[in-house]
Amino acid sequence: MTSNHDIIKAHYDASDRGDIDGMLAPLAADARWTEMAGFPYAGTYVGPDEVRAGVFERIGAEWDGYTAAITELIDGGDTIVGLGTYSGTFRATGRWFEARVAHVWRLSGGEVVAFEQFTDTARVRDALA
């Protein structure tokens, strides 16, 4: 049986490869994915299709070199926390940003049922302006 830690690590490994299908693979059909208020894609998306369209495809279309470099995973059993750094250049302005990030993952039965993002939205907003 794959551990929750390994499931989330596989998500980040897919992210490093630019593999959106791999990133979405662990999400339950009704997973709730919440991007922080103040972030350009703020809101809660339900299910892999909404996450793909509302978050990942938009990031791919609007940013150059956007990365979520997660350097630490904290294993809390059914809750996994990823810590790292976002960075990228917003195409419309040519401005680069870097901001620390925390992701809180909640899993049940080997699937992600909820995700919540925490980051310095002011740094992202500065790149957009």
Side-chain angles (χ1 to χ4, degrees):
M1 185 166 118
T2 304
S3 73
N4 288 337
H5 178 277
D6 291 342
I7 291 167
I8 300 309
K9 183 176 181 325
H11 164 88
Y12 290 122
D13 290 345
S15 176
D16 291 345
R17 294 189 308 272
D19 175 6
I20 293 176
D21 289 336
M23 294 169 66
L24 295 170
L27 271 63
D30 60 349
R32 297 181 61 79
W33 182 286
T34 301
E35 297 281 307
M36 188 169 177
F39 197 70
Y41 316 113
T44 297
Y45 304 88
V46 179
D49 291 341
E50 283 192 14
V51 174
R52 176 190 300 273
V55 180
F56 297 140
E57 288 180 355
R58 291 173 65 193
I59 288 171
E62 297 174 2
W63 295 85
D64 287 322
Y66 190 95
T67 61
I70 303 303
T71 55
E72 183 176 2
L73 287 179
I74 301 165
D75 190 341
D78 289 340
T79 302
I80 306 293
V81 177
L83 302 174
T85 304
Y86 284 151
S87 62
T89 301
F90 192 61
R91 287 189 182 128
T93 63
R95 291 187 179 186
W96 179 84
F97 89 104
E98 182 177 80
R100 293 292 290 162
V101 63
H103 293 159
V104 178
W105 300 87
R106 301 195 189 281
L107 295 95
S108 178
E111 291 185 309
V112 172
V113 295
F115 165 92
E116 190 170 2
Q117 169 211 57
F118 299 90
T119 192
D120 184 346
T121 58
R123 287 185 172 257
V124 180
R125 187 177 55 244
D126 288 348
L128 302 177

